[in-house]
């Protein structure tokens, strides 16, 4: 039995996308307090340089550590690809959990041998992604799309709007024409489009949302490090955002206490 640590878990993303991960964590670990940082003043990260994304990730991590977070979940594929290694180097005693496009499970699941990856430009261009492809995708064909413009639509709560549907059609049509039967959601914003996506692909097309697997990884790390909250601990949920934010009820049922903060750039 672990000794118990009731400090919060810090979770961050460029915007509200990481709520797909925070929702999975709070569902699996209802005793854990969460502090979420949505960098909505600087979203999207996808078109930014690695250096910018790394600087932002450092700044947000400092903020979360100042708020006594016991673990940091980088709930953003783009920030993970750009900054996770440097974050771990800078804070070797802090446990970090990151995201990665689910190329491995997709390569195992596909029957047509063709996989579609929806991720940001920065993720697709990253060394981390190239390494994933080398390790797991040698025997499958992968079709990527950087989904330019999709994150701002999701941020604006346009989860079922004609522009969103139009954009998804443009992304999916060429993939489906190539017999893609497995789709990887390689950006934490995209699970909010799952209801739409499911209606736009054949019923047997598998869509992989990595959030549940990341929540299980958080649980394993907490247990292993004896950092899990005590069973009687009442969880608290703080949500910080650095810019405009849509109605959170589109994205989460968690009773967040909401704070607005300024980011430095
Ligand atoms: N949610 C993010 C990800 O998982 C980033 C989206 C963006 O800001 O471009 O990659």
């Amino acid at each position: 039995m672990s000794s118990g640590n009731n400090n919060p878990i810090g979770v961050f993303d460029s915007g509200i996308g990481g709520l797909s991960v925070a929702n999975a964590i709070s569902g699996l670990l209802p005793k854990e307090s969460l502090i979420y940082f949505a960098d909505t003043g600087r979203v999207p990260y996808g078109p930014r340089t690695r250096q910018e994304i790394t600087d932002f990730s450092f700044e947000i991590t400092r903020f979360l550590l100042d708020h006594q977070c016991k673990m940091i979940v980088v709930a953003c594929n783009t920030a993970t690809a750009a900054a996770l290694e440097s974050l771990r180097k800078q804070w070797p005693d802090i446990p970090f959990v990151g995201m990665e496009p689910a190329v491995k499970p997709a390569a195992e699941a596909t029957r047509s041998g063709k996989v579609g990856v929806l991720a940001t430009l920065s993720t697709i261009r990253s060394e981390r992604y190239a390494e994933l492809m080398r390790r797991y995708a040698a025997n499958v064909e992968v079709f990527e799309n950087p989904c330019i413009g999709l994150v701002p639509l999701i941020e604006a709560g346009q989860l079922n709007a004609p522009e969103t549907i139009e954009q998804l059609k443009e992304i999916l049509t060429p993939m489906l024409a190539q017999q893609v039967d497995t789709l990887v959601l390689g950006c934490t914003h995209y699970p909010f489009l799952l209801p739409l996506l499911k209606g736009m692909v054949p019923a047997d097309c598998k869509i992989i949302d990595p959030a549940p697997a990341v929540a299980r990884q958080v649980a394993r790390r907490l247990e292993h490090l004896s950092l899990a909250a005590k069973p009687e601990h009442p969880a608290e949920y703080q949500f910080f955002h650095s810019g405009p934010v849509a109605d959170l009820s589109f994205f989460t049922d968690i009773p967040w206490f909401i704070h607005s903060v300024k980011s430095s750039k």
Side-chain angles (χ1 to χ4, degrees):
M1 161 118 192
S2 69
S3 51
N5 182 323
N6 294 338
N7 285 11
I9 300 171
V11 182
F12 80 88
D13 179 42
S14 60
I16 49 71
L19 285 173
S20 60
V21 179
N23 292 340
I25 296 172
S26 87
L28 185 67
L29 301 167
K31 299 295 164 192
E32 297 295 338
S33 292
L34 303 180
I35 297 190
Y36 188 96
F37 192 100
D39 199 5
T40 53
R42 303 185 290 204
V43 68
Y45 281 7
R48 293 182 181 273
T49 64
R50 180 173 189 176
Q51 189 58 53
E52 274 181 302
I53 300 164
T54 302
D55 290 348
F56 298 166
S57 301
F58 269 59
E59 193 187 299
I60 296 167
T61 298
R62 268 188 208 104
F63 176 92
L64 293 171
L65 294 177
D66 286 347
H67 285 75
Q68 269 65 58
C69 289
K70 61 185 174 185
M71 169 184 276
I72 307 287
V73 180
V74 185
C76 176
N77 290 263
T78 309
T80 300
L84 185 64
E85 247 181 68
S86 326
L87 290 169
R88 285 187 170 141
K89 268 193 202 129
Q90 178 74 20
W91 286 284
D93 299 332
I94 299 292
F96 285 91
V97 174
M99 307 293 304
E100 83 186 1
V103 171
K104 183 178 181 232
E108 287 164 2
T110 178
R111 294 165 316 275
S112 65
K114 302 193 178 186
V115 167
V117 175
L118 278 49
T120 68
L121 193 59
S122 177
T123 298
I124 292 171
R125 286 184 176 162
S126 66
E127 283 157 37
R128 224 180 141 90
Y129 181 74
E131 176 59 22
L132 262 186
M133 298 297 288
R134 278 193 292 276
R135 283 175 71 176
Y136 303 118
N139 299 319
V140 295
E141 225 179 314
V142 178
F143 299 83
E144 291 132 354
N145 192 304
C147 308
I148 309 287
L150 199 55
V151 163
L153 285 169
I154 299 168
E155 282 288 320
Q158 303 290 315
L159 303 184
N160 208 3
E163 302 100 284
T164 312
I165 297 173
E166 204 39 52
Q167 181 153 10
L168 281 183
K169 266 192 205 146
E170 277 172 28
I171 294 165
L172 296 174
T173 307
M175 290 187 179
L176 296 176
Q178 294 284 349
Q179 261 70 61
V180 160
D181 68 354
T182 308
L183 280 181
V184 172
L185 303 185
C187 166
T188 52
H189 280 74
Y190 304 157
F192 294 112
L193 299 178
L194 263 172
L196 250 192
L197 278 166
K198 281 185 182 156
M200 296 174 79
V201 298
D204 60 353
C205 179
K206 196 170 160 73
I207 307 178
I208 307 182
D209 167 10
V214 172
R216 290 194 296 275
Q217 172 68 358
V218 167
R220 277 193 296 270
R221 294 290 302 279
L222 289 177
E223 202 47 50
H224 179 70
L225 298 167
S226 301
L227 285 177
K230 293 190 174 136
E232 68 280 10
H233 177 246
E236 284 168 20
Y237 303 101
Q238 313 274 349
F239 181 96
F240 292 86
H241 60 99
S242 62
V245 74
D247 180 350
L248 285 192
S249 67
F250 289 135
F251 308 103
T252 181
D253 293 330
I254 297 175
W256 295 102
F257 188 70
I258 301 174
H259 315 261
S260 166
V261 289
K262 278 217 165 74
S263 52
S264 63
K265 287 180 216 163

